[in-house]
Amino acid sequence: MKKLLIGALPLLFAHQALAAAPPAEITVPPGFTAEVVHEGVGRARHITVRPNGDLYISTPAPAANAAAEPGTIIALRDTDGDGRPDLIRRFGDVRGGTGIRFHDGALYAASATAVYRYVFTGDELVPTAPPQVIVTGMPTGGFSNRALAFDGKGAMFVSVGGGNNICAERPGPEAPGRQPCPDLVARAGIWKYDAKRPNQQHPAGGERYATGVRDLIAMAWDPRSKALYAVVHGRNGVDRAWPKLFTAADSAEGVAEELHRVERGADLGWPYTHYDGRTNRRLVAPEYGGDGKTVAPAGRYNEPLVVVPPHSSPLDLVFYEGRQLPAAYRGGAFLVLQGGGGRAPLPATGYDVKFVSAPAAGKPALSDFAEGFGGDAPTLTQATARYRPSGAAVAPDGSLYVLDTKLGRIWRIRYGR
């Protein structure tokens, strides 16, 4: 199958015969099938599905090709019912390619500084109405990812990451932490806004729902337990910042990513602590007097429900309420791990999709679901990985879409044939 040129014109693109489709190249559990339904959207970030089945993908910037249709959001529609999008359009100017979700019939898309709401008329693929600015004034610099989640009662949650890996007084080794960390005023947290009220100013226009967030890209509302869940990224390079206290192995294996149930007022620990997944203890960060052994004060910080492997780069969290997959998956969530750095010389982690068992049924557990996106090389890195999964979305029929951020390939995973 030839790579599709997206956005050149708002035209129908002819598909190759089904037999010419590229191989799935990933491993899914017995009884499941994975099919490539589209490829070539390039540096895609996240994906969401409209109730009518149309797909919408966030990208970091408009197409590099000057002749291409401008726009940072890619819209795809299957017009002939073969399960593969054949109408591809670009629209919008939402820079950064971060959070994108459908909620209550409207498309929400976030840049580093603002959240936009697109309202559709009828069955149009690209909205003709201009977007509404729902939130504006979020800070530039630092971690610019803005995850979005909705509680179904009119609230929208937005993540605003910290300004740096740590909150130190100066660059270089053994730098003490800033006390208090100024990032905890207008960033490093999760804010709650009205999902439909235009021109809310960050941060005063919303409620600071949670704090202590270094970087957060995977976030979702669970309709069963009626709670917000989020996966935070652990710090990098603790051995470089404090070589007398931490080894390379401590950095590669001892600073976990964390899946949390986030209640109002929760403190997820950054920058004053980090979570050691080897010992299942929250430790005081060295910038604030920690030595790799000192445990953080009990009861002050949120404890993770699930410890996610260090440096696996969790990029999306999607709860499943469909009927196409077996019943055991209902109420659980799919966690997309893009795969990150910080593990050398140890093998990389991530480059797969995990399943999180239903949190409403008790303490959730992490299990394998779709693997092999990066390839089988023992020295797998971000540069050598074939694909890096970045987003997932549930189709109206209950099957699961998975998006790659490296080349822009879209898989559809189903149960049975």
Side-chain angles (χ1 to χ4, degrees):
M1 177 177 177
K2 296 179 180 179
K3 287 188 177 180
L4 300 179
L5 175 62
I6 60 172
L9 288 171
L11 299 175
L12 290 175
F13 288 82
H15 277 292
Q16 303 295 315
L18 291 181
E25 296 181 312
I26 62 173
T27 301
V28 292
F32 287 81
T33 59
E35 178 190 14
V36 177
V37 296
H38 190 76
E39 62 176 357
V41 297
R43 290 185 59 212
R45 189 63 160 173
H46 287 125
I47 183 171
T48 189
V49 183
R50 192 175 174 185
N52 69 357
D54 292 341
L55 306 180
Y56 293 83
I57 294 172
S58 61
T59 66
N65 182 355
E69 185 181 17
T72 58
I73 299 173
I74 301 174
L76 304 98
R77 174 175 289 176
D78 172 16
T79 66
D80 57 13
D82 69 351
R84 298 180 187 176
D86 51 84
L87 176 59
I88 302 96
R89 295 286 303 273
R90 277 185 179 265
F91 69 96
D93 188 21
V94 184
R95 305 295 175 115
T98 59
I100 187 167
R101 300 281 196 198
F102 256 98
H103 170 67
D104 199 19
L107 178 69
Y108 290 76
S111 70
T113 59
V115 180
Y116 301 88
R117 180 175 182 260
Y118 290 88
V119 177
F120 294 77
T121 301
D123 198 38
E124 61 185 5
L125 178 62
V126 172
T128 52
Q132 299 173 322
V133 179
I134 301 299
V135 178
T136 190
M138 291 183 289
T140 59
F143 293 110
S144 60
N145 303 293
R146 306 287 178 255
L148 302 175
F150 301 85
D151 68 357
K153 296 181 179 180
M156 175 180 70
F157 299 91
V158 185
S159 69
V160 182
N164 211 323
N165 180 45
I166 56 177
C167 191
E169 289 185 353
R170 56 172 171 77
E174 300 183 1
R178 301 175 74 180
Q179 184 66 272
C181 177
D183 281 1
L184 298 175
V185 176
R187 57 190 317 158
I190 300 171
W191 268 260
K192 182 180 180 181
Y193 287 97
D194 186 322
K196 292 185 179 179
R197 183 159 62 90
N199 299 317
Q200 297 166 90
Q201 294 290 317
H202 181 83
E207 173 194 351
R208 188 183 188 101
Y209 193 76
T211 191
V213 172
R214 174 184 171 271
D215 191 17
L216 196 167
I217 315 174
M219 184 170 70
W221 181 267
D222 175 24
R224 293 198 179 194
S225 59
K226 294 180 172 52
L228 183 68
Y229 292 82
V231 191
V232 294
H233 290 220
R235 65 180 291 169
N236 293 319
V238 66
D239 60 318
R240 297 191 299 273
W242 297 87
K244 296 178 182 178
L245 298 176
F246 296 90
T247 66
D250 292 327
S251 182
E253 298 182 291
V255 182
E257 327 276 38
E258 311 165 38
L259 189 154
H260 288 267
R261 174 172 170 145
V262 184
E263 305 286 357
R264 177 182 277 109
D267 189 333
L268 307 189
W270 186 89
Y272 303 121
T273 74
H274 66 261
Y275 199 83
D276 189 322
R278 298 169 300 183
T279 61
N280 290 322
R281 297 185 304 173
R282 183 167 295 285
L283 303 179
V284 176
E287 292 79 18
Y288 298 93
D291 58 1
K293 300 175 183 177
T294 304
V295 178
R300 182 177 299 181
Y301 303 102
N302 233 44
E303 290 297 306
L305 292 177
V306 174
V307 175
V308 181
H311 310 294
S312 53
S313 193
L315 251 64
D316 207 357
L317 183 69
V318 179
F319 279 92
Y320 186 79
E321 292 293 343
R323 291 293 184 268
Q324 207 284 321
L325 305 187
Y329 289 90
R330 293 173 202 155
F334 293 99
L335 176 60
V336 180
L337 303 178
Q338 185 188 43
R343 290 274 299 173
L346 299 176
T349 55
Y351 306 96
D352 56 9
V353 178
K354 303 288 188 184
F355 178 70
V356 183
S357 60
K363 185 174 176 60
L366 203 65
S367 59
D368 296 334
F369 181 71
E371 301 177 284
F373 292 92
D376 299 324
T379 57
L380 179 64
T381 67
Q382 298 174 44
T384 62
R386 291 181 306 191
Y387 307 104
R388 301 182 70 196
S390 62
V394 180
D397 71 350
S399 57
L400 184 73
Y401 288 109
V402 177
L403 175 68
D404 154 58
T405 190
K406 203 165 185 181
L407 299 177
R409 175 174 278 197
I410 304 172
W411 289 263
R412 190 171 191 172
I413 301 175
R414 299 174 56 85
Y415 185 71
R417 295 184 179 276

